[in-house]
Amino acid sequence: MAGQAVALRAPSAERAVERGQWQMAFERFRMHRPAIAGVIVLGTLALLSAAAPIVSPYGPEKNNLLLIYEGPSLSHPMGTDSLGRDLATRILYGGRVSLSIGLLAVTVAITVGTVVGTVAGFYGRWIDSALMRFVDMMYSFPRLFLLILFGVFFKGMSLPVIVTVLGLLSWMTTSRLVRASFLSLKNREFVEAARCIGARDRRIIIRHILPNSIAPIIVAATLGIAGAIIAESTLSFLGLGIQPPTPSWGNMLKDAPAEMNIAPWTAIFPGLAIFLAVVSINFIGDGLRDALDPHHVVRRA
Amino acid sequence: MGTYITRRLLQAIPLLLGISVVSFAILKAVPGGPLAAYESNPNVTDEDLRRLEHTFGLDQPLPVQYLGWLSKFLVGDWGYSFVSHQPVLGLIGERLPNTVTLMGTVFLTVLVLAIPIGVLTAVKQYSWFDHLVTGATFAFLSTPTFWLGLLLIIAFGLQLKLFPLGGMATLGMPFDPIDRLRHLILPVATIALVQLGSHVRYLRASMLETITQDYMRTARAKGLSERSLVVRHALKNAAIPLVTVVALDLPELFVGALVTEQIFGWPGMGRLFWDSATRSDYPVLMGILAVSSALIVFANLLADVVYGYLDPRIRFS
């Protein structure tokens, strides 16, 4: 009976502490000014992109051959491109594509990385060695070269393909983070205690160990989004990613080398969008790292 | 340490074999290939295709093809380009000096600038200089390389007309060091600014950690000048993490910077990979992939060994 009482109390006590920690982390994040600026800029970009059909009077693929290479003006704040399409509109629609790719690719990467890291760290032994050698191997491939090969293979990539390929080429850091936290936690007393009261592997992994590795995963994921956005834009710039006429921030710059002497704005604005998004995400990642730093959490809890 | 290095080298062998198997498999999965051009040609009969397949060894089972490639690769026979029919090793040898010129200049520039800037930002933490540099490094780290390259071309090539827009030399001109230098500046700046950002941040962070340590206070109490304090006592320790970062950059010295080479029309290894990829020129792709992954594996090994050598607190086990 006594054991049951402990078992009933433990989860709620744990939850209370957890909430406290997250609240404190949130307080610290709020004090990080660059991160808050990042949230505002990125939020604005994402909102405007999501609301693109409402914000803009033009369509993303609407040609106007009477208005090609118009410089920035009141009706076209960022000018028009080689087909007379409104650049600002295309940047907003491109934002939908580029931001979603960043988010989704990282979701794939985090999922794969967490599963691999969990299996390796929790079960150890030969499974661990085999998986970690595989991670070593994945790390040793030049990522851009592989991306280019896949781009050639698929003759340019659609959104689901690029998300899968990017995700499957960038899960390794997460797997190492997760594995490390499993190795350091799986023999601790609280895990043993959970096992003693009859918790199965699944429960120990999901309820007891994984929550402890969430902080580094969140930071890695945030910075991973920035990396994925840059990777997608590079690939689409090279003509192997998202194919026109669907705009992405990268493929809008594809013709820039040929056009930049007559219409430099076509080279400047889409890149500026990438830059703003990536800077914001990096700032947010920095803020999250400071806020979630496990040393702080341990000391304060 | 000798045994450690030996063990790591032995571990590298299965790793490299695994990499080569996967690379081979990926390249085989890519459609196209040496016969793609003939397949749509009505004058080439099926029989001709079979014969060509046989000549290239493409009718053999994949494991046999792989072992054939591997045994030849190990003795320096890297095969012939499907496109130009030149030996792969020769093609790589042709491009390698160009990439080394470009990336070597980047390497030196970054090192020469990163060390003083990183040290200064740490010593003068929270000064206007520190804020300026920290902001700039953050910005450059968040800029896609290709866009930075385009901006530099617009600003310094098209508007100010200070530097050529691309290529390695002015057409029709004999080799001239000044001309080469002018062609180098923009591509070097493109890669260097991004790398500089990461190196300065590394050095700043590790300097900040070092200068607050007890032995620094002791050294100061002994009456050492601030200069020798920073250079001889702090930098020596703070530079250790930077050394490993630099070691991990080494593969780029030979593999090149594909995107930058592409934008500036620099005929290096990156361009070679790009041209071969778009033409499905497997032998060349396989050669470059093998070289670059081997370089990455050895750079990692080098970084670990150098780190342990410079920092006696790390023990090899």
Side-chain angles (χ1 to χ4, degrees):
Chain A
M1 282 310 260
Q4 206 176 14
V6 171
L8 283 175
R9 255 212 332 265
S12 62
E14 180 188 273
R15 216 171 290 149
V17 173
E18 211 173 291
R19 199 179 296 137
Q21 285 178 353
W22 288 110
Q23 237 157 34
M24 277 187 284
F26 180 69
E27 291 300 317
R28 281 197 293 273
F29 184 76
R30 255 186 21 190
M31 303 303 285
H32 198 284
R33 273 193 219 165
I36 294 301
V39 169
I40 294 171
V41 172
L42 188 68
T44 313
L45 257 177
L47 271 181
L48 285 176
S49 298
I54 307 167
V55 180
S56 158
Y58 309 100
E61 289 162 30
K62 173 108 182 55
N63 301 349
N64 184 347
L65 296 178
L66 297 173
L67 270 180
I68 60 168
Y69 293 135
E70 281 286 304
S73 65
L74 268 182
S75 52
H76 297 283
M78 296 181 185
T80 64
D81 67 4
S82 56
L83 296 173
R85 298 174 296 197
D86 180 54
L87 217 57
T89 306
R90 283 180 66 74
I91 285 177
L92 291 186
Y93 281 92
R96 293 173 156 197
V97 175
S98 297
L99 292 174
S100 328
I101 288 176
L103 207 62
L104 294 171
V106 166
T107 311
V108 173
I110 294 291
T111 311
V112 177
T114 307
V115 170
V116 173
T118 301
V119 172
F122 191 77
Y123 295 104
R125 300 206 272 185
W126 68 269
I127 303 185
D128 183 29
S129 339
L131 285 176
M132 284 306 112
R133 292 298 78 74
F134 183 60
V135 169
D136 286 347
M137 194 175 85
M138 292 297 294
Y139 258 122
S140 306
F141 282 113
R143 193 170 86 143
L144 183 61
F145 283 1
L146 286 198
L147 284 173
I148 286 174
L149 285 181
F150 282 114
V152 172
F153 179 86
F154 290 111
K155 297 197 169 69
M157 297 194 233
S158 61
L159 193 140
V161 173
I162 204 168
V163 161
T164 315
V165 170
L166 270 178
L168 291 183
L169 289 178
S170 31
W171 51 271
M172 290 83 77
T173 311
T174 314
S175 77
R176 281 190 179 166
L177 285 173
V178 173
R179 172 178 176 266
S181 80
F182 267 88
L183 286 184
S184 80
L185 295 175
K186 72 172 176 186
N187 293 323
R188 293 267 283 272
E189 288 86 349
F190 72 92
V191 175
E192 225 159 290
R195 210 182 288 281
C196 283
I197 58 171
R200 299 219 179 105
D201 283 0
R202 217 179 89 129
R203 185 175 170 83
I204 291 175
I205 290 171
I206 294 174
R207 294 276 310 154
H208 296 274
I209 303 187
L210 267 185
N212 284 295
S213 29
I214 280 186
I217 295 180
I218 291 179
V219 175
T222 313
L223 300 176
I225 297 178
I229 291 178
I230 290 197
E232 180 275 321
S233 67
T234 306
L235 216 51
S236 298
F237 168 73
L238 291 171
L240 297 175
I242 300 294
Q243 296 299 304
T246 307
S248 93
W249 289 340
N251 75 22
M252 293 179 66
L253 289 163
K254 195 170 160 267
D255 299 321
E259 299 171 342
M260 61 196 171
N261 52 341
I262 40 171
W265 52 89
T266 59
I268 291 172
F269 289 117
L272 202 60
I274 305 173
F275 172 75
L276 279 179
V278 173
V279 162
S280 306
I281 294 170
N282 282 337
F283 274 138
I284 297 171
D286 241 27
L288 284 173
R289 196 196 326 252
D290 289 355
L292 297 170
D293 185 27
H295 297 299
H296 283 285
V297 176
V298 169
R299 207 185 308 137
R300 297 195 184 200
Chain B
M1 190 140 116
T3 47
Y4 173 78
I5 297 179
T6 319
R7 211 186 69 222
R8 284 290 301 268
L9 281 174
L10 287 178
Q11 281 174 349
I13 295 172
L15 184 58
L16 288 171
L17 283 177
I19 291 168
S20 67
V21 170
V22 175
S23 309
F24 199 80
I26 293 176
L27 288 179
K28 283 293 163 188
V30 177
L35 307 180
Y38 302 110
E39 266 158 20
S40 49
N41 186 338
N43 293 327
V44 180
T45 62
D46 274 0
E47 198 187 316
D48 292 335
L49 276 177
R50 294 294 92 73
R51 213 178 50 243
L52 280 166
E53 248 176 30
H54 187 74
T55 333
F56 284 118
L58 295 172
D59 50 352
Q60 311 238 338
L62 273 186
V64 176
Q65 287 188 36
Y66 169 74
L67 287 177
W69 172 83
L70 184 68
S71 56
K72 282 188 187 158
F73 184 84
L74 291 176
V75 295
D77 177 5
W78 293 16
Y80 294 83
S81 157
F82 286 156
V83 177
S84 66
H85 305 292
Q86 279 176 285
V88 172
L89 212 50
L91 278 175
I92 291 179
E94 229 169 67
R95 298 298 187 92
L96 200 58
N98 300 342
T99 282
V100 173
T101 308
L102 175 69
M103 296 311 290
T105 317
V106 169
F107 224 64
L108 290 179
T109 318
V110 168
L111 271 189
V112 166
L113 291 175
I115 293 174
I117 295 178
V119 169
L120 266 181
T121 51
V123 173
K124 305 211 181 294
Q125 194 188 7
Y126 301 134
S127 64
W128 64 266
F129 179 75
D130 180 32
H131 284 301
L132 182 79
V133 170
T134 311
T137 54
F138 216 95
F140 284 125
L141 277 179
S142 308
T143 312
T145 320
F146 69 90
W147 188 55
L148 185 60
L150 295 180
L151 287 188
L152 291 178
I153 294 179
I154 293 179
F156 296 100
L158 290 168
Q159 300 293 324
L160 299 173
K161 299 195 179 4
L162 283 175
F163 302 109
L165 305 178
M168 278 209 318
T170 310
L171 279 180
M173 231 173 98
F175 177 77
D176 170 43
I178 304 288
D179 182 57
R180 174 62 49 88
L181 198 64
R182 276 169 40 84
H183 282 83
L184 263 172
I185 286 177
L186 288 187
V188 165
T190 306
I191 313 167
L193 283 170
V194 177
Q195 271 194 12
L196 197 59
S198 89
H199 290 18
V200 165
R201 276 170 71 85
Y202 253 101
L203 191 58
R204 177 176 181 273
S206 92
M207 271 300 278
L208 282 177
E209 204 178 298
T210 313
I211 53 180
T212 50
Q213 284 184 5
D214 288 345
Y215 80 89
M216 288 295 291
R217 197 180 46 213
T218 312
R220 190 173 276 126
K222 277 197 314 191
L224 283 184
S225 73
E226 201 60 27
R227 192 190 158 80
S228 89
L229 204 67
V230 167
V231 176
R232 304 244 336 246
H233 291 251
L235 179 60
K236 229 171 155 181
N237 278 323
I240 295 175
L242 188 69
V243 172
T244 62
V245 180
V246 170
L248 293 179
D249 281 342
L250 275 178
E252 269 186 27
L253 190 58
F254 306 99
V255 177
L258 189 142
V259 178
T260 312
E261 288 182 4
Q262 191 66 14
I263 295 173
F264 288 95
W266 191 270
M269 293 282 285
R271 274 293 289 265
L272 183 61
F273 186 87
W274 173 258
D275 292 341
S276 314
T278 45
R279 292 171 197 159
S280 304
D281 196 349
Y282 308 137
V284 184
L285 291 174
M286 198 58 205
I288 300 180
L289 270 181
V291 175
S292 43
S293 5
L295 283 169
I296 295 175
V297 170
F298 286 115
N300 272 299
L301 173 63
L302 184 72
D304 289 350
V305 170
V306 170
Y307 196 93
Y309 179 74
L310 292 177
D311 189 341
R313 286 169 301 183
I314 304 286
R315 283 208 209 97
F316 294 113
S317 56

